[in-house]
Amino acid sequence: MLLFLGVTSLAQSTNLPDVAPGVFNVTARIEIENTSVEAAWNALSDFPKYPNWNPFVRSQIAVDASNISLPTQRPVENTQLIIRCQIPPLPLPVSKYTLDNPLATQFSYENVTHVQPELRRLAWGAYPNPLIMAERWQALTDLGNGKIRYESREVFSGPLAPVLQPTMQANLQKSFDAQAQGLKLLLEGGGAY
Ligand SMILES: *[C@@H]1O[C@H](CO)[C@@H](O)[C@H](O)[C@H]1NC(C)=O
Ligand SMILES: *[C@@H]1O[C@H](CO)[C@@H](O)[C@H](O)[C@H]1NC(C)=O
Ligand SMILES: *[C@@H]1O[C@H](CO)[C@@H](O)[C@H](O)[C@H]1NC(C)=O
Ligand SMILES: *[C@@H]1O[C@H](CO)[C@@H](O)[C@H](O)[C@H]1NC(C)=O
């Protein structure tokens, strides 16, 4: 009985932090088998390999204050990212050869806000702007026996958020779900990690 309760609470738990509610948010959550949190962490941290598996974020480049590409293309707090993504996402599976859909291509300039390897959490979001605040968290949980959970959530607030919501929320939700599916395909399919 106690064991059952323990399993139930793990199934319902989240490793995403509590954050202030915004105007709207998108979230994704998926369980992945035959892998490890280390493998998932490495996949999320290796920006140059995103095009091999990620149907949402097609390019993510860490840059310095002059927008020059940095030698380390991994998440480091307080570095900036130039992101090219697909909203809605590309169909899976993708590879580095998959072409963008020009109508779905969007760019964003973001700041890496949290890199927490011990907590298995990463976050980056819209470069500070009085009109729009958006922070995207990604988190991993070890469920035991080679099973992990991947979660992601981005909360939007600020005066522009209600303007963006009607055109953005549903398609961005699809992109978040597709990235979760893409990560599962990569890790369960014996991909590079
Ligand atoms: C995300 O949206 C859901 C559904 O509207 C809401 O219940 C939840 O409080 C929101 N979370 C945050 C952190 O804004
Ligand atoms: C995980 O590995 C087991 C044992 O090899 C296999 O039976 C199962 O189908 C695998 N699961 C996935 C999702 O690949
Ligand atoms: C870096 O690129 C971003 C996105 O294009 C732009 O908003 C920002 O002003 C650029 N910074 C510099 C120093 O050019
Ligand atoms: C970027 O995030 C870091 C880490 O949270 C923070 O210290 C820094 O102030 C942020 N940069 C900007 C321009 O807001």
Side-chain angles (χ1 to χ4, degrees):
M1 193 48 157
L2 280 175
L3 180 63
F4 177 73
L5 288 173
V7 168
T8 303
S9 71
L10 190 59
Q12 288 165 350
S13 68
T14 178
N15 189 28
L16 291 170
D18 272 331
V19 298
V23 173
F24 72 98
N25 65 77
V26 294
T27 66
R29 179 179 169 100
I30 201 166
E31 288 183 4
I32 305 177
E33 286 178 36
N34 298 341
T35 189
S36 63
V37 287
E38 288 75 18
W41 180 268
N42 286 337
L44 295 173
S45 299
D46 191 346
F47 302 154
K49 293 220 174 102
Y50 276 18
N52 295 349
W53 63 271
N54 194 323
F56 167 37
V57 182
R58 299 302 294 152
S59 166
Q60 178 155 308
I61 301 172
V63 295
D64 68 13
S66 314
N67 284 344
I68 310 276
S69 174
L70 289 167
T72 302
Q73 290 296 319
R74 299 180 78 81
V76 175
E77 283 183 9
N78 199 25
T79 59
Q80 277 67 61
L81 305 172
I82 294 180
I83 297 174
R84 194 185 82 240
C85 62
Q86 295 281 295
I87 307 171
L90 294 169
L92 281 165
V94 292
S95 77
K96 64 181 173 183
Y97 301 111
T98 310
L99 297 177
D100 280 2
N101 170 0
L103 297 176
T105 302
Q106 296 200 22
F107 290 88
S108 81
Y109 182 57
E110 308 210 346
N111 182 38
V112 178
T113 50
H114 302 275
V115 177
Q116 302 173 330
E118 332 69 44
L119 295 173
R120 313 292 191 187
R121 290 177 183 161
L122 291 165
W124 42 83
Y127 192 80
N129 178 333
L131 296 179
I132 185 83
M133 281 139 265
E135 190 175 30
R136 178 185 187 191
W137 281 90
Q138 298 181 87
L140 301 166
T141 305
D142 191 346
L143 301 174
N145 295 318
K147 193 189 255 199
I148 67 160
R149 180 189 297 129
Y150 165 76
E151 297 173 280
S152 184
R153 182 188 57 213
E154 183 159 4
V155 178
F156 291 79
S157 55
L160 260 187
V163 181
L164 282 179
Q165 183 173 11
T167 54
M168 192 161 187
Q169 185 175 14
N171 282 334
L172 187 61
Q173 179 61 52
K174 288 182 196 158
S175 293
F176 270 52
D177 288 334
Q179 178 174 329
Q181 290 288 349
L183 184 64
K184 184 177 170 81
L185 266 180
L186 172 76
L187 297 173
E188 289 182 352
Y193 300 95

